[in-house]
Amino acid sequence: MDLASQASIRKAAAEVKGMISTLDILVNNAGCTHRLRQWTAEGIEMQFGVNHIGTFLLTKLLFPLLKAATTQSPPGTTRVVNLSSHGHMLSPVRFHDYNMENKEIPPEEQPSSRITPVFAKPSSDGYLTTVAYSQSKTANILFTLYLQDHAAASKIMSYAVHPGGVISNLGREHEEDVAEAIAATSKYWKNSDEGASTSLVAALDPSLDESSGLYLADCQFFSCADHAKDPVAAQRLWELSEELIGERFIC
């Protein structure tokens, strides 16, 4: 499945529906980051299009299987887990410029004042690489917030997760100074098994059958940025996401 192609996502979801009738847990783990501006097949900025819109569409298409699973399982054990990042703290969703085309945006959509110059600098094509990634990670949390508020009636629980600094090839396109700055954000970098631990807690811990938080890091609830827990922004993002996939997503 290619999350940068809505046709590919739809094909994969149809194949899954042909194999199973219920789905107990969906972990939206896949994602990307790019140094230069790229586009999905539908013309959406790649990081927003893959990290959020692709995830949104896949979850929408598989949601009937999740709802079917709730008829056979205790409330709250059917879950959607969305992988985000502490990087979300650097930028809200840029509703006036979600495609990262350097359009004018209002003050509330500007990057955090805490963003360092190395993360705020544009690439050679003017693309704000880190801001684009941060926007997509904020979207993951707002998506989760909306699911918590609306899918609970279907007995489906949802959590967002920061896996921690994990050794991987995700940042293989970063320039050297950006890679060094990212490396300095964590004192300890996890292997893949360690990186999966918080996702497993979010997916399986019985104590989370009833919601008592939104965002987890290091297997515990963790505070996220105010712009990532705004229900108005969550509603606005949901409506934009429906527009970009061309159909409604009713929980």
Side-chain angles (χ1 to χ4, degrees), residues 5 27 35 37 43 46 48 53 58 60-61 69 120 144 194 198 207-208 220 225-226 239 242 251:
S5 164
V27 179
R35 183 174 60 85
R37 184 180 285 107
M46 184 68 78
F48 187 69
I53 297 299
L58 180 65
K60 187 268 177 190
L61 296 172
T144 304
E194 293 168 322
T198 305
S207 69
L208 302 185
Q220 306 294 325
D226 288 343
E239 293 171 358
E242 289 181 324
C251 295

Side-chain angles (χ1 to χ4, degrees), residues 32-187:
C32 69
T33 182
H34 292 282
R35 183 174 60 85
L36 299 175
R37 184 180 285 107
Q38 297 188 39
W39 308 96
T40 68
E42 294 72 33
I44 303 168
E45 185 275 319
M46 184 68 78
Q47 296 190 78
F48 187 69
V50 168
N51 297 349
H52 170 61
I53 297 299
T55 290
F56 181 88
L57 176 58
L58 180 65
T59 305
K60 187 268 177 190
L61 296 172
L62 297 181
F63 206 75
L65 301 183
L66 292 162
K67 292 184 74 172
T70 66
T71 65
Q72 305 172 17
S73 305
T77 58
T78 302
R79 298 184 189 172
V80 177
V81 178
N82 297 312
L83 267 73
S84 180
S85 165
H86 283 349
H88 83 273
M89 298 179 184
L90 299 181
S91 179
V93 172
R94 299 161 62 100
F95 290 104
H96 290 80
D97 187 33
Y98 61 84
N99 262 346
M100 302 301 299
E101 297 171 303
N102 298 329
K103 296 178 180 178
E104 185 175 350
I105 57 174
E108 64 271 16
E109 295 178 13
Q110 295 284 347
S112 167
S113 59
R114 297 183 299 170
I115 192 169
T116 58
V118 70
F119 290 142
K121 74 170 187 175
S123 296
S124 57
D125 63 351
Y127 179 55
L128 295 170
T129 304
T130 302
V131 174
Y133 181 76
S134 300
Q135 168 185 241
S136 74
K137 297 293 99 180
T138 292
N140 295 147
I141 304 176
L142 290 173
F143 176 39
T144 304
L145 176 62
Y146 190 98
L147 286 172
Q148 281 196 352
D149 289 344
H150 294 80
S154 300
K155 301 179 182 178
I156 296 171
M157 191 54 61
S158 185
Y159 295 102
V161 165
H162 169 62
V166 181
I167 300 168
S168 73
N169 290 322
L170 179 64
R172 58 190 175 275
E173 293 186 6
H174 290 316
E175 294 179 344
E176 184 176 352
D177 58 344
V178 175
E180 290 175 352
I182 292 173
T185 63
S186 180
K187 295 180 179 179

